[in-house]
Amino acid sequence: MKRTIYVASSWNNPQHPSVVQELRHRGHEVYDFRHPRGRDDRSVWKELHIKKETVYGEEMIDLLDTPLARARFQEHLEAMRESDVCILLLPCGRSAHIEAGYMKGLGKTVYVLGSVFDELKPELMYLTFDAFFSLYEPLFDALEDDDD
């Protein structure tokens, strides 16, 4: 049995495409937040007319209260609910950590993957999740072992 996997990460994580590709190569179905339903989702911020990296309280409220933001949120939420496993691919930011926590709250398996090449801040709360890996192969082996 192959897994349906949600990879929670950052737009800035250069490892994301290769992890998604390798998981698919191994026969898993993978939700790619960068290309949901085949589109490049980086454009959502442009469509929302966001031209800066930071917003303030009222701007955030207005941003989140748009049909486009709500639609994209619902897509991600549906993908999380339909997935069996979450891989929290470090380094990443708030959204990915919220997604991983949400999925753990749903009772899903959550693995954290932090590359041996990335500097990471210590975080005790990663013990919330099922396992922490610093190399790809042990993670891929764990996914296969889960199939038994």
Side-chain angles (χ1 to χ4, degrees):
M1 176 179 101
K2 295 300 177 180
R3 303 309 221 170
T4 302
I5 301 172
Y6 188 98
V7 178
S9 192
S10 167
W11 276 99
N12 298 322
N13 190 324
Q15 298 170 46
H16 180 269
S18 60
V19 169
V20 168
Q21 181 180 2
E22 182 61 26
L23 289 167
R24 287 180 175 158
H25 175 74
R26 292 172 181 256
H28 301 289
E29 184 178 327
V30 181
Y31 179 77
D32 181 358
F33 73 89
R34 292 182 179 193
H35 301 98
R37 299 185 181 161
R39 70 172 182 273
D40 183 347
D41 219 29
R42 195 176 326 216
S43 64
V44 70
W45 301 115
K46 289 179 185 168
E47 291 176 52
L48 289 168
H49 307 291
I50 304 300
K51 296 179 171 80
K52 51 191 174 180
E53 287 192 30
T54 57
V55 295
Y56 297 92
E58 289 298 317
E59 291 175 292
M60 181 62 83
I61 292 167
D62 292 343
L63 166 73
L64 295 175
D65 194 30
T66 62
L68 180 59
R70 290 183 184 282
R72 292 301 197 274
F73 169 74
Q74 286 301 322
E75 280 182 32
H76 293 296
L77 199 62
E78 184 177 310
M80 287 185 276
R81 289 177 179 154
E82 292 174 356
S83 295
D84 304 311
V85 174
C86 174
I87 296 173
L88 179 63
L89 178 61
L90 303 177
C92 58
R94 295 180 307 265
S95 288
H97 283 85
I98 292 168
E99 291 165 341
Y102 176 78
M103 291 186 71
K104 189 62 187 172
L106 291 176
K108 311 283 183 163
T109 299
V110 178
Y111 294 130
V112 181
L113 177 59
S115 169
V116 295
F117 303 109
D118 290 320
E119 227 176 83
L120 303 172
K121 292 183 181 178
E123 180 53 66
L124 292 176
M125 294 310 292
Y126 287 140
L127 291 171
T128 302
F129 303 126
D130 297 280
F132 190 106
F133 298 94
S134 61
L135 297 170
Y136 289 7
E137 284 306 318
L139 167 64
F140 297 145
D141 290 346
L143 289 168
E144 297 304 317
D145 289 345
D146 284 350
D147 289 343
D148 297 339

